[in-house]
Amino acid sequence: MSTQVRNNEAESRFETTVDGHLAVAEYFLGDGRITFTHTEVPEQLEGQGIGKALAKAALDHARAKNLKVVPQCRFIAGYIERNQEYQDLVAE
């Protein structure tokens, strides 16, 4: 299954809707950094890779925009730990 994730800049979140359920990865921008604060996947969508799709899209966006990542959200932090190709994005 391919999950379409979009950056909703007005709401400061990456989001996708599956079967009428909204999943989000919230962030705020500042000083060349993107700080991920919260990721939420509805219970009905758990186990379908939705959180991974959100994290990947968000981190790919950060790389494309040359943003350093501050992973305050445990889910995004865990995704970065498991996927070494994103570890260079983490702000010191």
Side-chain angles (χ1 to χ4, degrees):
M1 171 175 106
S2 176
T3 302
Q4 296 287 355
V5 175
R6 75 180 197 104
N7 180 9
N8 181 341
E9 293 181 29
E11 297 290 329
S12 297
R13 66 187 187 199
F14 288 86
E15 62 186 25
T16 188
T17 303
V18 178
D19 296 332
H21 302 286
L22 179 67
V24 300
E26 299 173 345
Y27 66 84
F28 64 87
L29 293 171
D31 297 326
R33 295 174 181 229
I34 185 166
T35 301
F36 292 101
T37 58
H38 181 68
T39 300
E40 185 168 338
V41 176
E43 189 175 316
Q44 298 89 333
L45 302 180
E46 289 180 3
Q48 298 180 38
I50 304 299
K52 290 178 185 178
L54 286 168
K56 181 178 182 344
L59 294 169
D60 288 346
H61 173 83
R63 185 175 306 286
K65 298 294 185 180
N66 294 313
L67 298 169
K68 284 298 191 180
V69 171
V70 179
Q72 290 181 350
C73 166
R74 290 186 308 191
F75 185 86
I76 297 291
Y79 186 85
I80 292 169
E81 284 180 27
R82 291 185 304 279
N83 294 274
Q84 291 188 11
E85 67 269 25
Y86 294 111
Q87 291 179 3
D88 64 305
L89 295 175
V90 178
E92 300 276 331

